[in-house]
């Protein structure tokens, strides 16, 4: 499927969808964070407000002045003519993200979706697996929400962690490492959009219809909608991490990248818990400290395991230097010309690329050496070259790795 769209047209489409996706995501995340803050920051109102049906209120100041916000137990004495709903922020974020997934990973499946030595090597089958992965994840999540576990906060959190961990491992077996990170993020983002579509909006419609007719609303449905909203709040930062991970090949190219994804996601969700407690009036800096320490521990463990992996690959640094001393730069340049410059050139020859990915020009041994910190883990993990169009052999890969390790 690669090359079915003119590279320049593909780049413009990518830009348009990505820009819209980012803007929509900012709107959705902003609204989500704001309403969680708002709900947790409400305090008991004075008696005269309680008599009017107000459950909680707060006062805030912003650029336009001082604002008074109140939340009713059920409804105001008179229903407003205009009631603002918040749904299209979520829908437009998910739809634009799906568009990006199609443009980048489905139309260029051989380049971005198919991984090195993964279970699926057919671009068409990889696309089918991608759709099944996301839809399957959504089904599992919705089924989990309908079990008694949903009433036990800590238990449901552990269950979600297990599901995400399993999904991360499976994604790394099916797709390229970069695509695996994105697919875990896409799966969770689909949970979040589904929470709005399947749970929050239907409950709100029924609630408004009931109170407008002076009928008793389904409080259980509203509590369930609030739970879904809370899930979205905690899942937001891990999703953002997954979506931005394509800029950090040292993460998804690591030998245990599936576990790194889970670990960092847990730290980010745990850090988010600090702010939710703070909104309630409980300030616990230890949560932020342990969240940061967790990421530091992950970084240290990644460094250790990367070092050990390198050692297994071919002995000490001194041995590697001795072994690679006789490898001529001309040989390395030849390999680069065959396997790298089709994409990483000033004018790429590979269909689907109007410019070198990430602006990286690798057309010589010197150019490769300059990018050692990014190129070495990408070669070791098999992520590069993208799509392996010219069938780099394991011997050629080892030659590049040994030479680059000695630089």
């Amino acid at each position: 499927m690669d090359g079915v769209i003119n590279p320049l047209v593909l780049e413009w489409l990518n830009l348009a969808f990505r820009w819209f996706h980012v803007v929509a995501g900012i709107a959705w995340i902003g609204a989500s964070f704001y309403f969680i803050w708002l709900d947790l920051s409400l305090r008991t109102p004075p008696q005269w407000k309680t008599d009017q049906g107000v459950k909680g209120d707060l006062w805030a100041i912003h650029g336009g002045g001082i604002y008074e916000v109140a939340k009713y137990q059920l409804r105001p004495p008179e229903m407003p003519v205009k009631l603002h709903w918040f749904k299209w922020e979520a829908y437009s974020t998910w739809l634009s993200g799906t568009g990006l997934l199609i443009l980048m990973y489905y139309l260029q499946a051989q380049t971005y979706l198919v991984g090195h030595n993964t279970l699926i090597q057919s671009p068409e089958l990889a696309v089918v697996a991608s759709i099944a992965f996301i839809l399957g994840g959504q089904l599992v999540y919705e089924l989990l929400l309908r079990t008694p576990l949903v009433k036990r906060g800590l238990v449901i959190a552990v269950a979600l962690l297990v599901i995400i961990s399993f999904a991360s491992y499976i994604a790394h077996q099916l797709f390229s490492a970069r695509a695996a990170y994105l697919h875990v993020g896409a799966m969770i983002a689909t949970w979040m959009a589904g929470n709005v579509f399947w749970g929050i909006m239907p409950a709100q419609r029924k609630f408004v219809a009931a109170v407008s007719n002076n009928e008793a609303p389904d409080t259980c449905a509203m509590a369930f909608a609030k739970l879904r909203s809370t899930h979205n709040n905690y899942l937001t930062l891990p999703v953002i991490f997954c979506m931005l991970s394509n800029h950090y090949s040292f993460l998804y190219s690591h030998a245990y990248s599936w576990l790194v994804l889970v670990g960092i996601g847990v730290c980010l969700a745990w850090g988010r818990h600090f702010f939710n407690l703070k909104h309630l009036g409980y300030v616990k800096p230890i949560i932020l400290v342990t969240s940061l320490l967790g990421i530091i521990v992950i970084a240290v463990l990644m460094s250790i395991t990367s070092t050990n992996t390198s050692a297994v690959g071919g002995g000490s640094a001194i041995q590697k230097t001795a072994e690679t001393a006789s490898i001529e730069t001309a040989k390395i340049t030849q390999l680069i010309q065959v396997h790298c410059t089709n994409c990483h050139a000033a004018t790429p020859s590979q269909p689907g690329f109007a410019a070198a990915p990430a602006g990286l020009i690798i057309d010589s041994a010197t150019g490769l050496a300059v990018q050692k910190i990014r190129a070495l883990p990408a070669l070791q993990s098999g992520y590069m070259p993208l799509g392996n169009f010219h069938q780099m052999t394991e011997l050629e890969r080892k030659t590049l790795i040994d030479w680059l390790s000695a630089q």
Side-chain angles (χ1 to χ4, degrees), residues 11 112 178 246-250 252-253 336 339-350 353-364 366-379 383-386 404:
E11 291 290 345
Y112 291 111
R178 171 176 168 171
N246 65 313
H247 295 287
Y248 306 104
S249 60
F250 76 97
Y252 59 73
S253 295
I336 291 171
H339 300 292
C340 304
T341 55
N342 58 315
C343 296
H344 292 284
T347 305
S349 59
Q350 182 62 41
F353 290 93
L360 299 180
I361 305 297
I362 303 177
D363 55 5
S364 65
T366 301
L368 180 63
V370 169
Q371 298 299 333
K372 175 180 178 178
I373 193 171
R374 302 178 69 174
L376 188 56
L379 283 167
Y383 180 67
M384 289 295 178
L386 279 175
L404 196 54

Side-chain angles (χ1 to χ4, degrees), residues 151-374:
K151 298 179 180 179
R152 304 177 63 182
L154 181 58
V155 175
I156 197 71
V158 172
L160 289 175
L161 176 59
V162 171
I163 292 171
I164 293 172
S165 300
F166 180 72
S168 179
Y169 179 79
I170 291 298
H172 279 78
Q173 306 309 305
L174 299 177
F175 314 118
S176 70
R178 171 176 168 171
Y181 267 52
L182 183 133
H183 273 71
V184 174
M187 180 193 73
I188 300 174
T190 301
W191 292 356
M192 295 171 65
N195 279 334
V196 177
F197 185 80
W198 301 111
I200 297 172
M201 291 307 299
Q204 290 181 167
R205 291 191 189 99
K206 292 178 181 178
F207 177 85
V208 171
V211 298
S212 297
N213 295 321
N214 292 314
E215 299 172 355
D218 186 347
T219 55
C220 290
M222 289 303 292
F224 195 23
K226 175 65 184 303
L227 176 66
R228 285 178 179 266
S229 180
T230 302
H231 280 196
N232 283 2
N233 184 261
Y234 281 98
L235 293 172
T236 295
L237 295 184
V239 166
I240 294 175
F241 163 70
C242 289
M243 297 311 177
L244 295 179
S245 64
N246 65 313
H247 295 287
Y248 306 104
S249 60
F250 76 97
L251 293 177
Y252 59 73
S253 295
H254 191 270
Y256 297 99
S257 57
W258 72 272
L259 198 54
V260 171
L261 185 158
V262 175
I264 293 179
V266 168
C267 291
L268 293 174
W270 179 236
R272 182 63 205 163
H273 187 57
F274 165 82
F275 294 97
N276 289 340
L277 289 180
K278 182 175 179 292
H279 301 333
L280 287 169
Y282 305 107
V283 179
K284 296 187 176 182
I286 188 63
I287 295 178
L288 284 182
V289 172
T290 52
S291 177
L292 178 60
L293 285 176
I295 293 178
I296 292 174
V297 169
I298 291 171
V300 172
L301 291 176
M302 284 181 65
S303 176
I304 294 173
T305 52
S306 291
T307 300
N308 289 341
T309 301
S310 297
V312 171
S316 67
I318 295 176
Q319 289 173 321
K320 286 185 176 182
T321 301
E323 292 170 2
T324 58
S326 61
I327 300 177
E328 297 181 359
T329 302
K331 173 63 176 176
I332 298 302
T333 300
Q334 180 185 11
L335 291 175
I336 291 171
Q337 293 292 332
V338 173
H339 300 292
C340 304
T341 55
N342 58 315
C343 296
H344 292 284
T347 305
S349 59
Q350 182 62 41
F353 290 93
L360 299 180
I361 305 297
I362 303 177
D363 55 5
S364 65
T366 301
L368 180 63
V370 169
Q371 298 299 333
K372 175 180 178 178
I373 193 171
R374 302 178 69 174

